[in-house]
Amino acid sequence: MSDGRIVILSGGVGGAKFALGAYKILPANTLSVITNIADDFVHLGLSISPDLDTLLYTLAGLNNEELGWGRRDETWTFMNALRSLGGEDWFQLGDGDLALHVERTERLKRGETLTAITRHVARSWNITADILPVSDDLIRTMVETDQGELSFQDYFVGRRCQPILRRLRYDGAAEAKRAAAVENALLNEKNRAIIIAPSNPYLSIDPILTVPGIRERIRQSGAPVVAVSPIVGAAAIKGPLAKIMAELDKEVTPVTIAAHYGTLLDGFVLDRTDEHLKGEIAIPTLSTNTIMSTLDDKKALAQDVIRFADTLATTRAPKGVA
Ligand code: FO1
């Protein structure tokens, strides 16, 4: 892989798998992952950042593969003790995971930014990629459903995404400032590609794109912008995406995802099973294996996507041209 920086926009599990593939094939310190923070919330007095934590655990090799969140080889002494006291046990906090939330909460109280705290944890775990919260301000996804307005974790974990989704809000996004490190990552002259990972567009990527200036900075960067479809066939690989799309009256197909990102994209990546849809997508499209079951799958997908972006760079208007 030649030099140049890669910027990935990511939510939780799907994005983290893709980011790990890129991380493993790229030289150290050439990857920035701009991450969703709208799933964050305060629980039992602790500041919890699920998508940042999934990326930290995944790139550090500490992630819990079975659960898809939290830490591997986890123990649950704290939760069992809490439960015995009648404490809230709907949101599981493992003993190792708890340390991360306690340390982040303490540092936030001391005035450190989420960017600085996340950088500290990444350094502590020898991660040589920048995991960047899109903003150091608060953004909260609120879900308007047939059971009323729900906070994101209440909807996602508390009620297992069962309520019927009517509308999503990203409270705070319109007022949030791009974190300085995000600004620098997007405008880095060495950017080779900006990649929207196969995360949920509505729950994970839109809260990033809604922060003022993010879309403009992505366009200004001059690097080719490519999105990887999180939908394969008419189903989501993981999570509630297909259900949410149906509830938003959107056709559950990768074509909807490409249209959702619109003019932001220079290219789109489909799974091979959806190759027949290429004709319905107006921009250059690559079809390859997007099902990431093994580490080799993740590395191969990252390789394919980056190489595809390279072909787009040559066909894009040179930087600064209107
Ligand atoms: N998801 C669950 O379905 N159940 C849990 O008990 C749970 C605990 C949890 C603790 C820390 C953390 O960082 C994530 C956790 N998640 C849990 C996942 C999380 O709610 C979602 O993965 C994201 O918010 C969606 O991307």
mmCIF file of all heavy atoms in Angstrom, residues 11-13 36 38-41 48-54 57 67-70 76 89-94 97 100-101 104 152-153 156-158 160 203-204, ligand 1:
data_model
loop_
_atom_site.group_PDB
_atom_site.id
_atom_site.type_symbol
_atom_site.label_atom_id
_atom_site.label_comp_id
_atom_site.label_asym_id
_atom_site.label_seq_id
_atom_site.Cartn_x
_atom_site.Cartn_y
_atom_site.Cartn_z
ATOM 1 N N GLY A 11 -19.545 3.820 12.857
ATOM 2 C CA GLY A 11 -20.345 3.646 14.071
ATOM 3 C C GLY A 11 -19.733 2.501 14.858
ATOM 4 O O GLY A 11 -18.502 2.441 15.012
ATOM 5 N N GLY A 12 -20.593 1.536 15.234
ATOM 6 C CA GLY A 12 -20.115 0.459 16.099
ATOM 7 C C GLY A 12 -19.600 -0.755 15.346
ATOM 8 O O GLY A 12 -18.656 -0.677 14.577
ATOM 9 N N VAL A 13 -20.269 -1.855 15.475
ATOM 10 C CA VAL A 13 -19.716 -3.170 15.103
ATOM 11 C C VAL A 13 -19.279 -3.256 13.645
ATOM 12 O O VAL A 13 -18.118 -3.563 13.357
ATOM 13 C CB VAL A 13 -20.764 -4.276 15.398
ATOM 14 C CG1 VAL A 13 -20.172 -5.628 15.052
ATOM 15 C CG2 VAL A 13 -21.177 -4.245 16.847
ATOM 16 N N ASN A 36 -18.987 7.985 15.656
ATOM 17 C CA ASN A 36 -20.277 8.431 16.184
ATOM 18 C C ASN A 36 -20.249 8.495 17.707
ATOM 19 O O ASN A 36 -19.731 7.599 18.368
ATOM 20 C CB ASN A 36 -21.365 7.449 15.736
ATOM 21 C CG ASN A 36 -22.712 7.739 16.382
ATOM 22 O OD1 ASN A 36 -23.119 8.881 16.508
ATOM 23 N ND2 ASN A 36 -23.377 6.681 16.825
ATOM 24 N N ALA A 38 -23.308 9.734 19.219
ATOM 25 C CA ALA A 38 -24.709 10.014 19.585
ATOM 26 C C ALA A 38 -25.381 8.861 20.323
ATOM 27 O O ALA A 38 -26.501 8.988 20.798
ATOM 28 C CB ALA A 38 -25.509 10.387 18.335
ATOM 29 N N ASP A 39 -24.678 7.708 20.416
ATOM 30 C CA ASP A 39 -25.185 6.591 21.232
ATOM 31 C C ASP A 39 -24.778 6.777 22.683
ATOM 32 O O ASP A 39 -25.182 5.994 23.546
ATOM 33 C CB ASP A 39 -24.563 5.259 20.772
ATOM 34 C CG ASP A 39 -24.981 4.868 19.373
ATOM 35 O OD1 ASP A 39 -25.716 5.637 18.741
ATOM 36 O OD2 ASP A 39 -24.550 3.792 18.908
ATOM 37 N N ASP A 40 -23.942 7.811 22.936
ATOM 38 C CA ASP A 40 -23.369 7.971 24.279
ATOM 39 C C ASP A 40 -24.457 8.328 25.283
ATOM 40 O O ASP A 40 -25.471 8.939 24.916
ATOM 41 C CB ASP A 40 -22.302 9.069 24.284
ATOM 42 C CG ASP A 40 -21.077 8.700 23.435
ATOM 43 O OD1 ASP A 40 -21.183 7.749 22.648
ATOM 44 O OD2 ASP A 40 -20.055 9.383 23.541
ATOM 45 N N PHE A 41 -24.253 7.948 26.517
ATOM 46 C CA PHE A 41 -25.174 8.360 27.582
ATOM 47 C C PHE A 41 -24.498 8.194 28.934
ATOM 48 O O PHE A 41 -23.417 7.627 29.037
ATOM 49 C CB PHE A 41 -26.481 7.556 27.517
ATOM 50 C CG PHE A 41 -26.432 6.115 27.982
ATOM 51 C CD1 PHE A 41 -27.468 5.618 28.786
ATOM 52 C CD2 PHE A 41 -25.404 5.266 27.615
ATOM 53 C CE1 PHE A 41 -27.456 4.289 29.192
ATOM 54 C CE2 PHE A 41 -25.393 3.927 28.031
ATOM 55 C CZ PHE A 41 -26.428 3.436 28.812
ATOM 56 N N ILE A 48 -20.684 6.857 29.165
ATOM 57 C CA ILE A 48 -20.447 5.669 28.336
ATOM 58 C C ILE A 48 -20.485 6.065 26.868
ATOM 59 O O ILE A 48 -21.399 6.773 26.432
ATOM 60 C CB ILE A 48 -21.502 4.594 28.670
ATOM 61 C CG1 ILE A 48 -21.284 4.152 30.139
ATOM 62 C CG2 ILE A 48 -21.412 3.412 27.710
ATOM 63 C CD1 ILE A 48 -22.273 3.177 30.684
ATOM 64 N N SER A 49 -19.483 5.616 26.115
ATOM 65 C CA SER A 49 -19.356 5.935 24.680
ATOM 66 C C SER A 49 -19.224 4.642 23.891
ATOM 67 O O SER A 49 -18.103 4.233 23.517
ATOM 68 C CB SER A 49 -18.124 6.823 24.442
ATOM 69 O OG SER A 49 -18.253 8.060 25.098
ATOM 70 N N PRO A 50 -20.362 3.985 23.596
ATOM 71 C CA PRO A 50 -20.307 2.628 23.015
ATOM 72 C C PRO A 50 -19.535 2.502 21.706
ATOM 73 O O PRO A 50 -18.735 1.582 21.548
ATOM 74 C CB PRO A 50 -21.790 2.292 22.794
ATOM 75 C CG PRO A 50 -22.514 3.111 23.798
ATOM 76 C CD PRO A 50 -21.761 4.394 23.868
ATOM 77 N N ASP A 51 -19.729 3.444 20.759
ATOM 78 C CA ASP A 51 -19.054 3.269 19.462
ATOM 79 C C ASP A 51 -17.563 3.531 19.582
ATOM 80 O O ASP A 51 -16.755 2.790 18.993
ATOM 81 C CB ASP A 51 -19.709 4.157 18.398
ATOM 82 C CG ASP A 51 -21.068 3.597 17.955
ATOM 83 O OD1 ASP A 51 -21.417 2.461 18.351
ATOM 84 O OD2 ASP A 51 -21.786 4.297 17.225
ATOM 85 N N LEU A 52 -17.170 4.562 20.351
ATOM 86 C CA LEU A 52 -15.728 4.769 20.583
ATOM 87 C C LEU A 52 -15.121 3.527 21.222
ATOM 88 O O LEU A 52 -14.048 3.056 20.829
ATOM 89 C CB LEU A 52 -15.510 5.983 21.495
ATOM 90 C CG LEU A 52 -15.695 7.361 20.871
ATOM 91 C CD1 LEU A 52 -15.647 8.440 21.941
ATOM 92 C CD2 LEU A 52 -14.639 7.631 19.798
ATOM 93 N N ASP A 53 -15.841 2.947 22.197
ATOM 94 C CA ASP A 53 -15.298 1.796 22.921
ATOM 95 C C ASP A 53 -15.197 0.565 22.027
ATOM 96 O O ASP A 53 -14.217 -0.184 22.088
ATOM 97 C CB ASP A 53 -16.150 1.497 24.147
ATOM 98 C CG ASP A 53 -16.043 2.620 25.180
ATOM 99 O OD1 ASP A 53 -15.281 3.579 24.925
ATOM 100 O OD2 ASP A 53 -16.728 2.569 26.202
ATOM 101 N N THR A 54 -16.182 0.372 21.154
ATOM 102 C CA THR A 54 -16.105 -0.772 20.226
ATOM 103 C C THR A 54 -14.877 -0.641 19.324
ATOM 104 O O THR A 54 -14.151 -1.608 19.089
ATOM 105 C CB THR A 54 -17.387 -0.856 19.373
ATOM 106 O OG1 THR A 54 -18.497 -1.109 20.233
ATOM 107 C CG2 THR A 54 -17.300 -1.954 18.325
ATOM 108 N N TYR A 57 -11.668 -1.235 21.591
ATOM 109 C CA TYR A 57 -11.494 -2.663 21.906
ATOM 110 C C TYR A 57 -11.100 -3.444 20.654
ATOM 111 O O TYR A 57 -10.219 -4.304 20.673
ATOM 112 C CB TYR A 57 -12.782 -3.252 22.488
ATOM 113 C CG TYR A 57 -13.062 -2.871 23.925
ATOM 114 C CD1 TYR A 57 -14.329 -2.456 24.333
ATOM 115 C CD2 TYR A 57 -12.058 -2.931 24.899
ATOM 116 C CE1 TYR A 57 -14.584 -2.097 25.648
ATOM 117 C CE2 TYR A 57 -12.307 -2.574 26.218
ATOM 118 C CZ TYR A 57 -13.571 -2.163 26.586
ATOM 119 O OH TYR A 57 -13.824 -1.812 27.893
ATOM 120 N N LEU A 67 -20.372 -11.080 22.012
ATOM 121 C CA LEU A 67 -21.404 -10.075 22.323
ATOM 122 C C LEU A 67 -21.494 -9.002 21.240
ATOM 123 O O LEU A 67 -22.518 -8.392 21.021
ATOM 124 C CB LEU A 67 -21.113 -9.433 23.675
ATOM 125 C CG LEU A 67 -21.329 -10.317 24.912
ATOM 126 C CD1 LEU A 67 -20.888 -9.568 26.178
ATOM 127 C CD2 LEU A 67 -22.797 -10.702 25.035
ATOM 128 N N GLY A 68 -20.342 -8.684 20.603
ATOM 129 C CA GLY A 68 -20.336 -7.588 19.627
ATOM 130 C C GLY A 68 -20.145 -6.245 20.315
ATOM 131 O O GLY A 68 -20.208 -5.197 19.696
ATOM 132 N N TRP A 69 -19.983 -6.256 21.626
ATOM 133 C CA TRP A 69 -19.671 -5.024 22.365
ATOM 134 C C TRP A 69 -18.899 -5.433 23.620
ATOM 135 O O TRP A 69 -18.829 -6.619 23.956
ATOM 136 C CB TRP A 69 -20.949 -4.264 22.754
ATOM 137 C CG TRP A 69 -22.001 -5.129 23.375
ATOM 138 C CD1 TRP A 69 -23.021 -5.771 22.733
ATOM 139 C CD2 TRP A 69 -22.120 -5.501 24.761
ATOM 140 N NE1 TRP A 69 -23.751 -6.515 23.629
ATOM 141 C CE2 TRP A 69 -23.230 -6.353 24.876
ATOM 142 C CE3 TRP A 69 -21.398 -5.180 25.916
ATOM 143 C CZ2 TRP A 69 -23.639 -6.898 26.092
ATOM 144 C CZ3 TRP A 69 -21.795 -5.724 27.128
ATOM 145 C CH2 TRP A 69 -22.915 -6.564 27.213
ATOM 146 N N GLY A 70 -18.306 -4.404 24.290
ATOM 147 C CA GLY A 70 -17.576 -4.701 25.529
ATOM 148 C C GLY A 70 -16.280 -5.466 25.294
ATOM 149 O O GLY A 70 -15.824 -5.633 24.173
ATOM 150 N N TRP A 76 -18.135 -10.587 35.570
ATOM 151 C CA TRP A 76 -19.373 -9.832 35.843
ATOM 152 C C TRP A 76 -19.658 -9.706 37.341
ATOM 153 O O TRP A 76 -20.805 -9.612 37.763
ATOM 154 C CB TRP A 76 -20.536 -10.495 35.112
ATOM 155 C CG TRP A 76 -20.284 -10.609 33.641
ATOM 156 C CD1 TRP A 76 -19.733 -11.674 32.986
ATOM 157 C CD2 TRP A 76 -20.488 -9.588 32.658
ATOM 158 N NE1 TRP A 76 -19.595 -11.384 31.655
ATOM 159 C CE2 TRP A 76 -20.049 -10.114 31.420
ATOM 160 C CE3 TRP A 76 -21.012 -8.283 32.693
ATOM 161 C CZ2 TRP A 76 -20.119 -9.392 30.222
ATOM 162 C CZ3 TRP A 76 -21.080 -7.563 31.516
ATOM 163 C CH2 TRP A 76 -20.637 -8.113 30.291
ATOM 164 N N ASP A 89 -30.025 -3.330 35.933
ATOM 165 C CA ASP A 89 -29.153 -4.329 35.285
ATOM 166 C C ASP A 89 -29.500 -4.542 33.814
ATOM 167 O O ASP A 89 -29.048 -5.497 33.202
ATOM 168 C CB ASP A 89 -29.249 -5.658 36.038
ATOM 169 C CG ASP A 89 -30.651 -6.242 35.947
ATOM 170 O OD1 ASP A 89 -31.562 -5.549 35.419
ATOM 171 O OD2 ASP A 89 -30.838 -7.395 36.380
ATOM 172 N N TRP A 90 -30.275 -3.609 33.232
ATOM 173 C CA TRP A 90 -30.659 -3.801 31.804
ATOM 174 C C TRP A 90 -29.495 -3.511 30.870
ATOM 175 O O TRP A 90 -29.465 -3.968 29.743
ATOM 176 C CB TRP A 90 -31.853 -2.914 31.464
ATOM 177 C CG TRP A 90 -31.581 -1.448 31.605
ATOM 178 C CD1 TRP A 90 -31.672 -0.706 32.735
ATOM 179 C CD2 TRP A 90 -31.144 -0.548 30.559
ATOM 180 N NE1 TRP A 90 -31.310 0.598 32.482
ATOM 181 C CE2 TRP A 90 -30.986 0.727 31.165
ATOM 182 C CE3 TRP A 90 -30.865 -0.682 29.197
ATOM 183 C CZ2 TRP A 90 -30.568 1.852 30.447
ATOM 184 C CZ3 TRP A 90 -30.455 0.437 28.480
ATOM 185 C CH2 TRP A 90 -30.307 1.680 29.110
ATOM 186 N N PHE A 91 -28.491 -2.746 31.375
ATOM 187 C CA PHE A 91 -27.339 -2.403 30.539
ATOM 188 C C PHE A 91 -26.112 -2.994 31.224
ATOM 189 O O PHE A 91 -25.708 -2.544 32.288
ATOM 190 C CB PHE A 91 -27.219 -0.873 30.433
ATOM 191 C CG PHE A 91 -26.280 -0.396 29.365
ATOM 192 C CD1 PHE A 91 -26.686 -0.339 28.031
ATOM 193 C CD2 PHE A 91 -24.985 0.002 29.688
ATOM 194 C CE1 PHE A 91 -25.815 0.119 27.043
ATOM 195 C CE2 PHE A 91 -24.106 0.452 28.704
ATOM 196 C CZ PHE A 91 -24.535 0.513 27.376
ATOM 197 N N GLN A 92 -25.559 -4.049 30.611
ATOM 198 C CA GLN A 92 -24.536 -4.861 31.275
ATOM 199 C C GLN A 92 -23.164 -4.172 31.267
ATOM 200 O O GLN A 92 -22.667 -3.821 30.189
ATOM 201 C CB GLN A 92 -24.392 -6.202 30.529
ATOM 202 C CG GLN A 92 -25.669 -6.999 30.427
ATOM 203 C CD GLN A 92 -26.072 -7.571 31.771
ATOM 204 O OE1 GLN A 92 -25.231 -8.152 32.456
ATOM 205 N NE2 GLN A 92 -27.315 -7.373 32.149
ATOM 206 N N LEU A 93 -22.567 -4.008 32.424
ATOM 207 C CA LEU A 93 -21.224 -3.419 32.510
ATOM 208 C C LEU A 93 -20.275 -4.459 33.090
ATOM 209 O O LEU A 93 -20.344 -4.794 34.280
ATOM 210 C CB LEU A 93 -21.260 -2.170 33.396
ATOM 211 C CG LEU A 93 -22.097 -0.999 32.829
ATOM 212 C CD1 LEU A 93 -22.174 0.138 33.837
ATOM 213 C CD2 LEU A 93 -21.520 -0.505 31.514
ATOM 214 N N GLY A 94 -19.383 -4.993 32.227
ATOM 215 C CA GLY A 94 -18.407 -5.973 32.706
ATOM 216 C C GLY A 94 -17.359 -5.293 33.578
ATOM 217 O O GLY A 94 -17.170 -4.074 33.499
ATOM 218 N N ASP A 97 -14.657 -3.560 31.496
ATOM 219 C CA ASP A 97 -15.298 -2.449 30.776
ATOM 220 C C ASP A 97 -15.574 -1.294 31.732
ATOM 221 O O ASP A 97 -15.413 -0.122 31.391
ATOM 222 C CB ASP A 97 -16.609 -2.966 30.155
ATOM 223 C CG ASP A 97 -17.193 -2.006 29.122
ATOM 224 O OD1 ASP A 97 -16.405 -1.356 28.400
ATOM 225 O OD2 ASP A 97 -18.427 -1.898 29.060
ATOM 226 N N LEU A 100 -12.949 1.347 32.122
ATOM 227 C CA LEU A 100 -12.887 2.337 31.031
ATOM 228 C C LEU A 100 -13.898 3.459 31.293
ATOM 229 O O LEU A 100 -13.587 4.642 31.156
ATOM 230 C CB LEU A 100 -13.167 1.641 29.695
ATOM 231 C CG LEU A 100 -13.213 2.483 28.433
ATOM 232 C CD1 LEU A 100 -11.960 3.328 28.262
ATOM 233 C CD2 LEU A 100 -13.419 1.580 27.208
ATOM 234 N N HIS A 101 -15.094 3.089 31.721
ATOM 235 C CA HIS A 101 -16.130 4.109 31.973
ATOM 236 C C HIS A 101 -15.769 4.973 33.183
ATOM 237 O O HIS A 101 -15.972 6.187 33.160
ATOM 238 C CB HIS A 101 -17.490 3.439 32.175
ATOM 239 C CG HIS A 101 -17.865 2.490 31.083
ATOM 240 N ND1 HIS A 101 -17.787 2.829 29.751
ATOM 241 C CD2 HIS A 101 -18.254 1.196 31.116
ATOM 242 C CE1 HIS A 101 -18.148 1.790 29.016
ATOM 243 N NE2 HIS A 101 -18.425 0.791 29.814
ATOM 244 N N ARG A 104 -12.886 7.318 32.098
ATOM 245 C CA ARG A 104 -13.373 8.383 31.200
ATOM 246 C C ARG A 104 -14.182 9.407 32.005
ATOM 247 O O ARG A 104 -14.017 10.620 31.846
ATOM 248 C CB ARG A 104 -14.247 7.796 30.089
ATOM 249 C CG ARG A 104 -14.957 8.850 29.236
ATOM 250 C CD ARG A 104 -15.586 8.306 27.970
ATOM 251 N NE ARG A 104 -16.200 7.025 28.183
ATOM 252 C CZ ARG A 104 -15.929 5.939 27.466
ATOM 253 N NH1 ARG A 104 -15.069 5.975 26.492
ATOM 254 N NH2 ARG A 104 -16.529 4.811 27.705
ATOM 255 N N PHE A 152 -31.576 6.713 22.973
ATOM 256 C CA PHE A 152 -31.098 5.669 22.078
ATOM 257 C C PHE A 152 -30.910 4.323 22.776
ATOM 258 O O PHE A 152 -31.375 3.273 22.310
ATOM 259 C CB PHE A 152 -29.773 6.089 21.411
ATOM 260 C CG PHE A 152 -29.231 5.003 20.547
ATOM 261 C CD1 PHE A 152 -29.744 4.795 19.275
ATOM 262 C CD2 PHE A 152 -28.269 4.131 21.024
ATOM 263 C CE1 PHE A 152 -29.293 3.757 18.483
ATOM 264 C CE2 PHE A 152 -27.805 3.080 20.228
ATOM 265 C CZ PHE A 152 -28.320 2.893 18.961
ATOM 266 N N GLN A 153 -30.226 4.306 23.925
ATOM 267 C CA GLN A 153 -29.946 3.028 24.575
ATOM 268 C C GLN A 153 -31.209 2.371 25.128
ATOM 269 O O GLN A 153 -31.314 1.149 25.166
ATOM 270 C CB GLN A 153 -28.894 3.206 25.688
ATOM 271 C CG GLN A 153 -27.527 3.645 25.185
ATOM 272 C CD GLN A 153 -26.857 2.665 24.245
ATOM 273 O OE1 GLN A 153 -27.256 1.489 24.196
ATOM 274 N NE2 GLN A 153 -25.899 3.111 23.458
ATOM 275 N N PHE A 156 -32.491 0.864 21.908
ATOM 276 C CA PHE A 156 -31.642 -0.162 21.302
ATOM 277 C C PHE A 156 -31.446 -1.354 22.225
ATOM 278 O O PHE A 156 -31.576 -2.504 21.828
ATOM 279 C CB PHE A 156 -30.280 0.460 20.968
ATOM 280 C CG PHE A 156 -29.431 -0.373 20.060
ATOM 281 C CD1 PHE A 156 -29.561 -0.270 18.686
ATOM 282 C CD2 PHE A 156 -28.506 -1.272 20.576
ATOM 283 C CE1 PHE A 156 -28.777 -1.029 17.841
ATOM 284 C CE2 PHE A 156 -27.720 -2.055 19.728
ATOM 285 C CZ PHE A 156 -27.864 -1.924 18.358
ATOM 286 N N VAL A 157 -31.148 -1.095 23.500
ATOM 287 C CA VAL A 157 -30.860 -2.181 24.444
ATOM 288 C C VAL A 157 -32.078 -2.472 25.313
ATOM 289 O O VAL A 157 -32.529 -3.609 25.396
ATOM 290 C CB VAL A 157 -29.661 -1.816 25.340
ATOM 291 C CG1 VAL A 157 -29.416 -2.914 26.366
ATOM 292 C CG2 VAL A 157 -28.422 -1.584 24.489
ATOM 293 N N GLY A 158 -32.613 -1.406 25.898
ATOM 294 C CA GLY A 158 -33.746 -1.578 26.821
ATOM 295 C C GLY A 158 -34.911 -2.274 26.160
ATOM 296 O O GLY A 158 -35.501 -3.179 26.730
ATOM 297 N N ARG A 160 -34.759 -3.503 22.851
ATOM 298 C CA ARG A 160 -34.293 -4.383 21.762
ATOM 299 C C ARG A 160 -34.779 -3.927 20.390
ATOM 300 O O ARG A 160 -35.134 -4.769 19.554
ATOM 301 C CB ARG A 160 -34.777 -5.819 22.048
ATOM 302 C CG ARG A 160 -34.177 -6.429 23.304
ATOM 303 C CD ARG A 160 -33.079 -7.466 22.961
ATOM 304 N NE ARG A 160 -32.269 -7.822 24.119
ATOM 305 C CZ ARG A 160 -31.197 -7.111 24.494
ATOM 306 N NH1 ARG A 160 -30.870 -6.010 23.826
ATOM 307 N NH2 ARG A 160 -30.468 -7.449 25.532
ATOM 308 N N LEU A 203 -28.454 5.508 12.139
ATOM 309 C CA LEU A 203 -28.113 5.527 13.571
ATOM 310 C C LEU A 203 -26.666 5.939 13.818
ATOM 311 O O LEU A 203 -26.352 6.464 14.881
ATOM 312 C CB LEU A 203 -28.348 4.139 14.195
ATOM 313 C CG LEU A 203 -29.783 3.626 14.222
ATOM 314 C CD1 LEU A 203 -29.839 2.268 14.945
ATOM 315 C CD2 LEU A 203 -30.732 4.627 14.887
ATOM 316 N N SER A 204 -25.769 5.662 12.870
ATOM 317 C CA SER A 204 -24.341 5.878 13.158
ATOM 318 C C SER A 204 -23.668 6.934 12.291
ATOM 319 O O SER A 204 -22.819 7.676 12.785
ATOM 320 C CB SER A 204 -23.586 4.553 12.990
ATOM 321 O OG SER A 204 -24.120 3.584 13.872
HETATM 322 N N1 FO1 B 1 -25.734 -3.799 24.067
HETATM 323 C C1 FO1 B 1 -26.703 -4.672 24.508
HETATM 324 O O1 FO1 B 1 -27.495 -5.141 23.679
HETATM 325 N N2 FO1 B 1 -26.807 -5.001 25.822
HETATM 326 C C2 FO1 B 1 -25.978 -4.510 26.769
HETATM 327 O O2 FO1 B 1 -26.115 -4.823 27.952
HETATM 328 C C3 FO1 B 1 -24.929 -3.614 26.344
HETATM 329 C C4 FO1 B 1 -23.996 -3.084 27.244
HETATM 330 C C5 FO1 B 1 -22.964 -2.262 26.755
HETATM 331 C C6 FO1 B 1 -21.988 -1.765 27.607
HETATM 332 C C7 FO1 B 1 -20.973 -0.938 27.127
HETATM 333 C C8 FO1 B 1 -20.943 -0.609 25.775
HETATM 334 O O3 FO1 B 1 -19.954 0.183 25.291
HETATM 335 C C9 FO1 B 1 -21.902 -1.107 24.886
HETATM 336 C C10 FO1 B 1 -22.917 -1.932 25.380
HETATM 337 N N3 FO1 B 1 -23.897 -2.456 24.520
HETATM 338 C C11 FO1 B 1 -24.865 -3.295 24.962
HETATM 339 C C12 FO1 B 1 -23.884 -2.146 23.074
HETATM 340 C C13 FO1 B 1 -24.410 -0.768 22.744
HETATM 341 O O4 FO1 B 1 -25.597 -0.455 23.349
HETATM 342 C C14 FO1 B 1 -24.576 -0.701 21.230
HETATM 343 O O5 FO1 B 1 -23.636 -1.518 20.639
HETATM 344 C C15 FO1 B 1 -24.300 0.627 20.599
HETATM 345 O O6 FO1 B 1 -24.765 1.685 21.317
HETATM 346 C C16 FO1 B 1 -24.888 0.580 19.210
HETATM 347 O O7 FO1 B 1 -23.878 0.842 18.315
#
